Amino acid sequence: MVGKYKVITLCGSTRFKEEFLKAQKELTLKGNIVISVGLFGHSGDDEVWTEGTKEMLDDMHKRKIDMADGIFVINVGGYIGSSTRSEIEYATAHGKEVQYLESI
């Protein structure tokens, strides 16, 4: 926590850009500090696919999880891809709370 605010990192497929923005807004209005992705590779940010960038962003996202009290998984339609699964496993292994947009 930072002061009285819980810190939450958003995780999920970047194809769900609108859902990321909606979750960010809702969680912020509930009094959380929200950390999100920097780019939406599956929603048009093609810079993600240049050499070495995806790997850097994946590592950076783990550092964002390190800074958070927990993660909020954007799992639209129950979809959880391999990168998101890795982030969930990482968060769990580091004692972070894991919440989901949709029940699993």
Side-chain angles (χ1 to χ4, degrees):
M1 294 187 72
V2 176
K4 63 181 180 178
Y5 304 106
K6 184 186 262 186
V7 179
I8 300 174
T9 296
L10 300 181
C11 298
S13 173
T14 58
R15 71 184 68 180
F16 302 127
K17 182 176 182 177
E18 292 305 315
E19 289 82 357
F20 265 85
L21 297 175
K22 182 178 178 188
Q24 179 176 323
K25 181 178 182 177
E26 290 175 0
L27 290 167
T28 298
L29 289 171
K30 289 180 181 176
N32 300 286
I33 295 170
V34 181
I35 303 171
S36 191
V37 297
L39 298 165
F40 290 91
H42 291 291
S43 294
D45 288 332
D46 294 332
E47 301 91 342
V48 169
W49 311 116
T50 59
E51 185 175 338
T53 302
K54 170 92 167 72
E55 294 78 13
M56 176 197 67
L57 293 171
D58 287 346
D59 181 63
M60 191 183 296
H61 208 70
K62 298 262 175 67
R63 302 301 69 81
K64 292 176 181 181
I65 293 169
D66 289 339
M67 296 187 319
D69 298 301
I71 66 171
F72 187 87
V73 180
I74 310 294
N75 61 326
V76 177
Y79 179 78
I80 296 175
S82 59
S83 291
T84 303
R85 190 165 312 284
S86 170
E87 292 164 358
I88 294 167
E89 291 169 359
Y90 183 85
T92 301
H94 288 84
K96 307 293 181 172
E97 180 183 6
V98 179
Q99 299 176 308
Y100 295 87
L101 176 66
E102 297 183 9
S103 297
I104 57 167

